[in-house]
Amino acid sequence: MTALVDAASPVGARRLYRDGLVVPTTGHAPGFTQANLVMLPQDWAYDMLLFGQRNPQPVPLLDVTDAGSFRTALAPDADLRTDLPRYRVWRDGELVDEPTDVVDLWRDDLVTFLIGCSFSFETALLEAGVPVRNLEQGRNVSMFSTRVQCRPAGRLNGPLVVSMRPVPAALVATAVQVTGRMPQVHGAPVHVGSPGELGIADVARPDFGEPVEFEPGDVPVFWACGVTPQAALMSSRPPFAITHAPGHMFVTDVPDSAYRMP
Amino acid sequence: MTALVDAASPVGARRLYRDGLVVPTTGHAPGFTQANLVMLPQDWAYDMLLFGQRNPQPVPLLDVTDAGSFRTALAPDADLRTDLPRYRVWRDGELVDEPTDVVDLWRDDLVTFLIGCSFSFETALLEAGVPVRNLEQGRNVSMFSTRVQCRPAGRLNGPLVVSMRPVPAALVATAVQVTGRMPQVHGAPVHVGSPGELGIADVARPDFGEPVEFEPGDVPVFWACGVTPQAALMSSRPPFAITHAPGHMFVTDVPDSAYRMP
């Protein structure tokens, strides 16, 4: 007996990853929200929760589990230990492994943070007629560490990380308005043009992700990015943490429209 | 030498309360955000922070201090121990005192939560032409415990508390749209009409605040209310807590417009 499973639905996509498919999640379960994942021991959970409260643009918390639970309100049937295509394991702030599940690493004191992702607003940009160059070019979005520091929370601190998208000058206002209505998935841009002001020397050389080509007349537009909490983990060095691997997100059952303001 | 001090500015209002004026803060420092206050020992702070994350409509967290600090980013010169006109002190969930400062009760493990308040959106309603009956009638807004339970967080749980305002039927949509653009100060109504569905037997007999008269054609409109965390404290009984006294809010330096979406 063969079950029909494909990546068009959240349940189907998660089952494929659980059964061993390892691919970036872009384009899977279109129209459903994908989330960044951070798992931390309870001893560090207060600092992360406060870091999210104090830095809502880069760290919009969509759900926080009870300690020891691998269930989330964002997808009640999902198992957070197995349902992402790839994870990253961090010890003392160093990346030590990239497994495809974390069942053997599970601990009863782990708290999972699910954090909004800009994939959600790329659909909204396209619908509003704003081209998304990284999608057109089949590349991962360009991301940069900036010289802007997040507001610290307990032991957690680190730089604001931004994603950059080239936007035609005549459509920058539209891009601001469309994403400004989605505060839970990073909201309006934090910066438009002038990359040097953020401490970015060259927009063609991102710190994370891939370079994305500009079309004539495009302006670099910068949004707060969900990689920010990973950067904070790298600089604050908790003894143990698990995150998603870049681009290998948690696919939720929540439609993108749920995070759009009217 | 006499300093000119009045309640028109946030700094002036806070100085009057610090120097002993004990009055509700309605109408003081118009145009500036007023906030609900909850102080809890660090041992309970994680639960309250998670309660706010999980219940953002009734518990929109505007700022959370470091443990032991009585300073807030919302008003850098303010002293949170003295600058509210009146406080409430709770032991094991019971109200034990209503002092005008809490300097003698201060502990180095206290964390302060400043929570959005519907006073901020009343100004926006008036500007949009929606009458605010409680202001017209010079009464405190009517508040009700409902049979809707908040999503629990650790040891904290309790009912959703709502504020009710009578709104002319033709202006309900405007009221929804105006407040929907202010998610950090409770956002859109949680319920319009049909009080029985919330478990409210009689809108003329509020659980907190005062009765407010309906004009012909008015419909009861219900917003999530910042008294919800106090209700959770009453049902969850932490050993020690401090809150503002009802209507005696913390006046911040933040203009209401900062919490209005474009």
Side-chain angles (χ1 to χ4, degrees):
Chain A
M1 209 173 79
T2 335
L4 263 178
V5 176
D6 65 48
S9 75
V11 169
R14 290 194 303 266
R15 185 184 299 185
L16 288 172
Y17 314 144
R18 188 160 62 233
D19 290 348
L21 181 68
V22 181
V23 288
T25 52
T26 324
H28 288 195
F32 290 89
T33 296
Q34 300 194 12
N36 300 280
L37 174 142
V38 173
M39 293 171 166
L40 281 170
Q42 192 160 25
D43 171 45
W44 279 73
Y46 183 77
D47 289 355
M48 180 57 80
L49 195 48
L50 192 59
F51 193 70
Q53 196 281 327
R54 290 183 176 173
N55 300 282
Q57 273 200 283
V59 194
L61 297 173
L62 303 184
D63 194 31
V64 180
T65 66
D66 290 326
S69 169
F70 41 81
R71 303 292 179 192
T72 169
L74 304 181
D77 81 318
D79 184 329
L80 293 167
R81 304 168 304 173
T82 58
D83 285 9
L84 281 73
R86 192 180 285 286
Y87 298 78
R88 283 186 156 184
V89 181
W90 307 79
R91 293 193 190 273
D92 300 315
E94 303 289 335
L95 177 64
V96 296
D97 197 9
E98 293 199 294
T100 60
D101 73 65
V102 293
V103 171
D104 291 344
L105 294 166
W106 187 253
R107 297 161 37 158
D108 284 341
D109 67 342
L110 286 182
V111 175
T112 302
F113 297 82
L114 294 165
I115 299 166
C117 164
S118 61
F119 287 6
S120 302
F121 70 60
E122 290 186 342
T123 315
L125 288 171
L126 288 173
E127 285 172 9
V130 179
V132 178
R133 302 296 185 210
N134 47 300
L135 296 182
E136 288 175 356
Q137 296 165 26
R139 299 197 190 155
N140 194 352
V141 71
S142 300
M143 291 165 275
F144 302 85
S145 274
T146 70
R147 68 176 173 208
V148 179
Q149 289 296 306
C150 289
R151 209 177 143 197
R155 293 157 291 181
L156 280 178
N157 60 74
L160 172 70
V161 179
V162 294
S163 63
M164 186 282 297
R165 291 170 186 77
V167 174
L171 291 170
V172 169
T174 304
V176 169
Q177 289 170 320
V178 165
T179 57
R181 285 196 288 271
M182 306 183 77
Q184 287 161 300
V185 289
H186 302 307
V190 292
H191 198 88
V192 177
S194 293
E197 294 294 306
L198 290 175
I200 297 171
D202 184 351
V203 289
R205 301 185 59 179
D207 297 314
F208 312 94
E210 295 178 287
V212 173
E213 307 292 329
F214 282 64
E215 300 285 320
D218 282 356
V219 172
V221 179
F222 301 92
W223 280 268
C225 176
V227 170
T228 304
Q230 286 197 32
L233 294 181
M234 289 162 71
S235 66
S236 306
R237 302 180 169 274
F240 182 68
I242 296 168
T243 67
H244 68 286
H248 298 65
M249 318 301 288
F250 177 61
V251 176
T252 77
D253 290 348
V254 182
D256 286 335
S257 59
Y259 296 120
R260 241 176 262 186
M261 307 273 301
Chain B
M1 210 172 81
T2 335
L4 261 178
V5 177
D6 64 48
S9 76
V11 169
R14 290 193 303 266
R15 186 184 298 184
L16 287 172
Y17 313 145
R18 187 161 61 233
D19 290 348
L21 181 68
V22 181
V23 289
T25 53
T26 324
H28 288 195
F32 291 90
T33 296
Q34 301 194 11
N36 299 280
L37 174 142
V38 174
M39 293 170 166
L40 281 170
Q42 191 159 26
D43 171 45
W44 279 74
Y46 183 78
D47 289 353
M48 180 56 80
L49 195 48
L50 192 59
F51 193 71
Q53 196 281 327
R54 290 183 174 173
N55 301 283
Q57 272 199 287
V59 194
L61 296 173
L62 303 184
D63 194 31
V64 180
T65 66
D66 291 326
S69 169
F70 40 83
R71 302 293 180 191
T72 169
L74 304 182
D77 79 321
D79 184 328
L80 293 167
R81 305 168 303 175
T82 56
D83 286 9
L84 281 73
R86 191 181 285 286
Y87 298 78
R88 284 186 156 184
V89 181
W90 306 79
R91 295 195 189 271
D92 300 316
E94 304 290 336
L95 176 63
V96 296
D97 197 9
E98 294 199 294
T100 59
D101 74 64
V102 293
V103 172
D104 292 344
L105 294 166
W106 188 253
R107 299 162 35 160
D108 283 343
D109 67 342
L110 287 182
V111 175
T112 301
F113 297 82
L114 294 165
I115 300 165
C117 163
S118 60
F119 287 6
S120 301
F121 70 60
E122 290 186 343
T123 314
L125 288 171
L126 288 173
E127 286 172 7
V130 179
V132 178
R133 302 295 184 211
N134 47 301
L135 296 182
E136 288 175 355
Q137 296 164 25
R139 299 196 190 156
N140 194 353
V141 70
S142 300
M143 291 166 276
F144 301 86
S145 274
T146 70
R147 67 175 173 211
V148 178
Q149 287 297 305
C150 289
R151 210 177 141 198
R155 293 157 290 183
L156 279 179
N157 61 73
L160 171 68
V161 178
V162 294
S163 63
M164 185 283 295
R165 291 170 186 76
V167 175
L171 291 170
V172 169
T174 305
V176 168
Q177 290 171 320
V178 165
T179 57
R181 285 197 288 272
M182 305 184 77
Q184 288 161 299
V185 289
H186 302 306
V190 292
H191 198 87
V192 178
S194 291
E197 294 294 307
L198 290 175
I200 298 170
D202 184 352
V203 289
R205 301 184 58 179
D207 297 313
F208 312 94
E210 295 178 286
V212 173
E213 307 292 330
F214 282 64
E215 301 284 322
D218 281 356
V219 172
V221 178
F222 301 92
W223 280 268
C225 176
V227 170
T228 304
Q230 286 198 31
L233 294 181
M234 288 162 70
S235 65
S236 306
R237 303 180 167 273
F240 182 67
I242 296 168
T243 67
H244 69 285
H248 298 65
M249 317 301 288
F250 177 61
V251 175
T252 77
D253 290 348
V254 182
D256 286 334
S257 59
Y259 296 121
R260 241 177 261 184
M261 306 275 300

